[in-house]
Amino acid sequence: MILRLDFFYLVLGAMLLMIAVMALRDPHNPKRYSSALFWALYAVVYLAGDWLSPVAAGAVMVVMALIAGFGGVTLGRYGERSPEQRRDSAQRLGHKLLIPALIIPITTMIGSTLLKDVKFDGLFLLDPKNTTLVSLGCGSLFAVATACWLTRATPLQAMRESRRLVDHLGWAVVLPHMLAVLGLLFTEAGMGKAVAHVVTSYINMDVKLVAVAVYCIGMALFTIIMGNGFAAFPVIAGGVGIPVLVGVYHANPAVMAAIGMFSAYCGTLMTPMAANFNIVPAALLELPDKNAVVKIQVATALPLLLANIALLYFLLNM
Amino acid sequence: MNHTVNLWPLLGVAVIILGFALRAHPVLVVIAACAVTGFAAAMDVGHLLAVLGAAFIKTRNLPLILLLPLAAIGLLERYGLKEHAQASIARIKSATTGRLLIVYLAIREITAAFGLTSIGGHPNMVRPLIAPMAEGAAENRYPALTDALRHRIRAMSAATDNVGLFFGEDVFVAFGAIVLMQTILRGEGIEVDPLHIAMWGIPTAVTAFIIHSWRLHRLDAHIARAMMKGQP
């Protein structure tokens, strides 16, 4: 391949290293040494990840968690422009401001659909396993270049702005990553078997509606625990869906699978464990309550879970 | 009955629930849960650190999607992208927060259903464009919009992106989740056509759109009521 995912690991590593240096040199940050150490450690994960021994990487993760957990990552000062200045340039640049913002999704789309199979000299242009991520990376680089050209700002200013946003996200940046690690650990420790065992041994599934409800609610609950519907699906489909719904009630497997996965997604909406979708946006949108997005989604997710149970009950034998 | 199942790892879940209930710092809760789960599965410290480290390196592709767009978005914000989004929505007289978000929900769900899952997203659409526009539409009618409503509108914008993405994407055949379902069923000896899985996702996708649009519609009424009460 010509453009590998590793290239963007180096880009992100360099970006995090610059954020660390800027944090270190910012006297307005009350905890600049621990903040800088936090970002520097994260940079190491990206710059030297392939050479790091697993134990060392584990130690890096624990130290980062301790720094973040005990409030060692704080905000600095960013030389922001006043609202009047921003309104003036908004008026001057107008719709042109949208161009760089739209370059990111458009490049990602083109890359992951049209350029997916393009080869030069027998080499794939984009890393075939990670087309979307690689295209998104290219889109981000194009967008920075266009934005710099349009606003006559320097790439260094773009780095300062990314530091401002990353600092506002703070520990929320690493939470999804650490939750993914916890998910893998849960899998390794045999969590799936334990949950399927508990679900199937204590509930009587002789009534079709109960079996359907256990399956849908089980998907949602397990997703709430793991933060990821993809982790819940094999466990609950293997524990309840296939042996009970298909085995006993002769369900159509396609219906069972489709509605099961959507029940899992109802769980994703209701859990802080799905940090990428729930905690990170709360931080990105500067909401004081980090669980505000989860709380607002519960009122959509619960009725939808009920609807899923009803749909599965009536469509089961289609 | 199978008695060889180790139930001790469930302690890790208990730690998570307890941690969130006590409002402890989420990152510390995660690390504590890692430690408890690891020890419950009879790993020693060195082994646990190695498992955590290997997983940490393996999943480092996750933050890319969040962090890489930030440089461009940050720069555009400095030059007034949010202000421009709000000024643009102010020119559309019929725009309300709810209507705007319903349109976004429809676009997000339909494009995700066609496999274009990267059209939206929190860092590159919701923060710079959708949330400011949703807020701007409300501010247009109620210039003294309270912070509580502002935060509610922002949270609803993020929720709308999630709902649209989740319940659109499984209607598309080539999406990863469908492939995953097919692979797992095949492992259990059941052959299904991915097209059928995608098709049976449609009833839920439609229901999700109806439920969430209804809530967005009610959001407008909620804003109106809250602002009426506030004014003498």
Side-chain angles (χ1 to χ4, degrees), chain A residues 59-96:
Chain A
V60 166
M61 175 178 148
V62 173
V63 172
M64 283 178 67
L66 293 178
I67 295 176
F70 289 103
V73 186
T74 49
L75 291 174
R77 184 181 285 185
Y78 310 95
E80 286 166 64
R81 300 169 96 207
S82 69
E84 290 73 35
Q85 282 174 312
R86 286 205 301 268
R87 227 163 297 158
D88 283 350
S89 61
Q91 232 152 32
R92 189 163 45 85
L93 294 164
H95 285 315
K96 280 188 209 146

Side-chain angles (χ1 to χ4, degrees), chain B residues 34-63:
Chain B
C34 284
V36 170
T37 312
F39 295 138
M43 296 178 185
D44 62 49
V45 176
H47 183 195
L48 177 60
L49 275 183
V51 170
L52 292 182
F56 200 52
I57 298 294
K58 191 177 157 193
T59 54
R60 68 191 162 137
N61 56 343
L62 263 181

Side-chain angles (χ1 to χ4, degrees), chain A residues 20-32:
Chain A
V21 172
M22 286 177 181
L24 192 65
R25 295 177 49 181
D26 182 351
H28 299 284
N29 186 333
K31 295 197 173 155
R32 58 174 162 153

Side-chain angles (χ1 to χ4, degrees), chain A residues 226-272:
Chain A
M226 303 290 282
N228 184 349
F230 286 16
F233 186 82
V235 175
I236 307 294
V240 185
I242 294 167
V244 181
L245 296 186
V246 178
V248 180
Y249 295 106
H250 310 292
N252 175 344
V255 179
M256 183 270 297
I259 299 183
M261 187 62 100
F262 273 153
S263 303
Y265 288 0
C266 291
T268 315
L269 291 175
M270 293 190 281
T271 178

Side-chain angles (χ1 to χ4, degrees), chain A residues 99-156:
Chain A
I99 299 170
L102 294 177
I103 279 180
I104 300 174
I106 291 171
T107 313
T108 317
M109 248 166 53
I110 294 175
S112 54
T113 54
L114 297 179
L115 301 180
K116 185 172 62 169
D117 302 315
V118 173
K119 286 185 190 179
F120 287 105
D121 286 340
L123 289 171
F124 276 104
L125 174 64
L126 306 169
D127 192 337
K129 278 192 197 133
N130 298 294
T131 10
T132 311
L133 275 178
V134 172
S135 320
L136 180 105
C138 295
S140 303
L141 295 182
F142 295 156
V144 177
T146 322
C148 285
W149 172 74
L150 200 71
T151 60
R152 316 244 175 273
T154 59
L156 186 67

Side-chain angles (χ1 to χ4, degrees), chain A residues 191-210:
Chain A
M191 184 70 78
K193 279 192 194 126
V195 169
H197 176 81
V198 171
V199 168
T200 46
S201 25
Y202 296 103
I203 299 167
N204 176 6
M205 281 187 270
D206 290 343
V207 182
K208 186 170 142 190
L209 183 62
V210 172

Side-chain angles (χ1 to χ4, degrees), chain B residues 107-118:
Chain B
I107 294 173
R108 185 78 167 125
E109 203 169 332
I110 291 167
T111 51
F114 282 97
L116 306 173
T117 49
S118 49

